[in-house]
Amino acid sequence: MNCEECHEREASLHFTKIINGEKTEFHICEHCAKEKGEFLPGSNSFSIHQLLSGLLHGDGHVPNTPSSNFIPPSLTCEKCGMSYYQFAKIGRFGCENCYKAFDSKLNPIFKRVHGGNTLHAGKIPLRAGSSIQEKKQLQQLKQALQQYILNEEFEKAAETRDVIREIEHRLQQGRDT
Amino acid sequence: MSLERFISDAISPWMKREGPESDIVLSSRVRLARNIHQYVFPIAADKESAHEVISAISTCMVEDNEEAEKLEMLMMEELKPVQKRVLVEKHLISPNLAEQAKYGAVLMNADESVSIMVNEEDHIRIQCLAPGFQLEEVLHRANEIDDSIEKNVDYAFDEKRGYLTSCPTNVGTGLRASVMMHLPALVLSKKMSRIIPAINQLGLAVRGIYGEGTEAQGNIFQISNQMTLGKSEEDIMEDLAGVVMQVIQQERAARKQLQDGLKLQLEDKLFRSLGTLENCRIIQSKEAAKCLSDVRLGIDLEILPGISKTILNELMILTQPGFLQQYAGEVLTPEERDIRRATLIRERIKLENR
């Protein structure tokens, strides 16, 4: 496939933009991609942030006219002062609180970037995450309990129920302190 | 300084070891992005807050950490541009930390297989490197360092979103795993242009030797995961490793095909490239990379005898602008670099032929 900019070289960069369900694909060569910005290793014009900004805005620019997806200026992070506009422009959060401040806007972004996923399914920090780990363990144990009851394995069900109670008690104590 | 001494100082000790599948996979790398709870991300940080982050990490990784191996810390503001460039060319820091980060630092271990960038795009970026195809090992190592930091600092973490990062493309696991592969036969047989979109469709990225936005010099490609959210670290690694394994098999098959069908043409090409490297007086980095790739293929296919395999990895790095200037001990114009590059390559090959 030839580059859509110079129509000479082989296209080696392929981008797909999906905005409101409308899919646009463009294919360009490394050379034309570099021509669009100063070339230094790892810092050319097609950075992930610019691509991301394009994803957030459709055309990479903040709309001047209010539209259906108009963002009120009040959507600003209290902790670092970053507005949603700024975030959309640079494609980066200013602090952990931005995730809370812009939460209502984030699912579609994460879905686009992470193949439809919005929820974490990986490692949990050991120290800070002990209660999260226990909540996850609790969910798994409750599912196991249902299975034991269905299979009429009542001895295992009783053991699992005791473990569940123990964890619930620990979590309750944690909340009370 | 003698060339031998310069090379031994310049090449990271971990690179001198041989790893699995090293005829195709040059190295494996894992990076974990982490931020510290309560501190704004580097993009929004002032000097004071950035220095607090550096001191928190250096306290737990350098001063109070007896169980961990010794790490050396370098502050970006204390380094000359050429020193930073050399660290980038060695893949120990990112171009972003060298050029953009206001209050950046890096901690490295003795064999340079571990580097922890501080105040890059995120507060902490743990990076582990290993020769050949060793994704599981590097992830294990990165996890150990991650746990050891987390004993002393609270991370910015959310039950729903995982590890919170400055860029939405890293949220969740914060994990970017990549392998550096030498794929000359797939390029030569024009198969690479079909393979890249196929790899992209599987949610993986294919890039050049120095990461995002760089071209594949010397037929070296970096394959990495794109998604960091919604999958466990193990699943991300498994998906990447599966694709890498397939690419390895495809490259081997393409090499065999070339040897079976075009042996003489292949030999001609590889010997000519060796001739260029042995005799050039002026050489640009692109041509040097192409010839080095050919020579490396010649070594792997046992067509070019008597040259050590590490030559490509070494010279790919040594012929970069930063290293050439460090070797010369002065700032060089691009034209001067082309002359120095040619001299360095000729001398390095002479060492081989002794």
Side-chain angles (χ1 to χ4, degrees), chain B residues 276-293:
Chain B
T276 300
L277 295 178
E278 282 174 332
N279 298 294
C280 62
R281 296 296 187 269
I282 301 168
I283 193 165
Q284 293 190 344
S285 63
K286 208 166 177 172
E287 190 189 0
K290 184 192 95 45
C291 292
L292 286 167
S293 167

Side-chain angles (χ1 to χ4, degrees), chain B residues 131-170:
Chain B
F133 188 29
Q134 303 194 70
L135 280 174
E136 260 178 59
E137 290 78 357
V138 280
L139 178 64
H140 180 72
R141 189 92 191 275
N143 267 326
E144 280 180 340
I145 296 166
D146 185 36
D147 296 343
S148 127
I149 296 175
E150 205 247 329
K151 276 182 193 160
N152 299 285
V153 297
D154 280 331
Y155 281 148
F157 181 86
D158 175 77
E159 198 174 339
K160 195 167 70 160
R161 308 293 192 194
Y163 292 92
L164 305 177
T165 55
S166 187
C167 182
T169 57
N170 296 318

Side-chain angles (χ1 to χ4, degrees), chain B residues 292-343:
Chain B
L292 286 167
S293 167
D294 284 348
V295 168
R296 170 74 197 246
L297 180 64
I299 298 165
D300 287 332
L301 298 178
E302 293 171 354
I303 290 172
L304 301 178
I307 302 173
S308 63
K309 204 186 255 188
T310 54
I311 193 168
L312 173 88
N313 314 23
E314 263 180 42
L315 283 172
M316 277 311 266
I317 291 181
L318 294 175
T319 54
Q320 296 291 328
F323 268 107
L324 289 172
Q325 299 184 77
Q326 201 191 37
Y327 186 47
E330 58 184 322
V331 176
L332 303 168
T333 64
E335 292 74 22
E336 288 169 331
R337 287 207 294 262
D338 294 344
I339 296 166
R340 293 272 182 166
R341 184 177 292 114
T343 310

Side-chain angles (χ1 to χ4, degrees), chain A residues 19-20 63 65-72 105:
Chain A
I19 297 145
N20 300 332
T65 51
S67 65
S68 57
N69 54 9
F70 175 72
I71 299 132
K105 297 270 167 203

Side-chain angles (χ1 to χ4, degrees), chain A residues 49 92 99 114 120 123 125, chain B residues 29-37 41-42 57 96 115-128 139 142-143 145-147 149-150 153-158 161-177 225 228-229 233 236:
Chain A
H49 301 301
R92 280 179 284 178
Y99 280 87
H114 298 289
H120 179 56
K123 186 175 177 176
Chain B
R29 183 184 78 117
V30 154
R31 178 270 275 160
L32 295 173
R34 301 287 187 252
N35 284 290
I36 304 179
H37 178 52
F41 297 158
I57 294 165
N96 185 30
S115 80
I116 303 166
M117 285 188 273
V118 185
N119 289 332
E120 205 249 20
E121 188 181 85
D122 295 299
H123 293 145
I124 306 169
R125 290 219 163 166
I126 302 161
Q127 180 184 258
C128 296
L139 178 64
N143 267 326
I145 296 166
D146 185 36
D147 296 343
I149 296 175
E150 205 247 329
V153 297
D154 280 331
Y155 281 148
F157 181 86
D158 175 77
R161 308 293 192 194
Y163 292 92
L164 305 177
T165 55
S166 187
C167 182
T169 57
N170 296 318
V171 70
T173 56
L175 167 74
R176 187 84 59 220
N225 65 303
T228 55
L229 183 68
E233 287 80 359
I236 289 171

